[in-house]
Amino acid sequence: MGDIKTFSFGGCDIAKFSPKVVAMTSQTKAINIVIGFDEALKLNLALDECVRKINKYKRTTKTGKRAAVNLVVYLQANRLAVVEDKL
């Protein structure tokens, strides 16, 4: 059991942000995140794994109704991770 991931389903490297991270302020209304094709495939796989896991919960239960996907953006590391979460 020690080989099972406990934090994230994976993620990807971010090629660039627009506007640049240093130019972002509290007034920034939108952020463009550009991901290369190979990294987008990794992100797709991570999202798919997370969605498949939360799809196993019974939707009639509290846990099933609250199941969610959390996309964690690490601005300084230019990384994005996919994590299971709750609403």
Side-chain angles (χ1 to χ4, degrees):
M1 290 297 258
D3 294 338
I4 297 175
K5 291 186 220 175
T6 57
F7 175 72
S8 80
F9 288 88
C12 67
D13 291 327
I14 297 169
K16 68 178 181 177
F17 293 101
S18 176
K20 292 183 178 183
V21 174
V22 293
M24 292 181 202
T25 68
S26 61
Q27 302 302 313
T28 303
K29 293 185 179 185
I31 302 168
N32 294 299
I33 298 174
V34 180
I35 301 169
F37 179 72
D38 289 338
E39 295 300 313
L41 288 173
K42 292 178 189 177
L43 177 59
N44 183 55
L45 179 60
L47 279 167
D48 189 51
E49 285 185 31
C50 187
V51 169
R52 286 177 189 265
K53 180 176 182 220
I54 64 176
N55 188 47
K56 292 179 182 178
Y57 297 128
K58 292 182 180 179
R59 302 300 297 157
T60 57
T61 65
K62 184 177 180 181
T63 300
K65 290 177 183 175
R66 295 186 66 212
V69 175
N70 179 12
L71 301 178
V72 184
V73 179
Y74 297 97
L75 296 173
Q76 301 305 317
N78 286 8
R79 287 270 314 148
L80 191 148
V82 178
V83 182
E84 181 181 354
D85 208 335
K86 299 173 194 161
L87 297 176

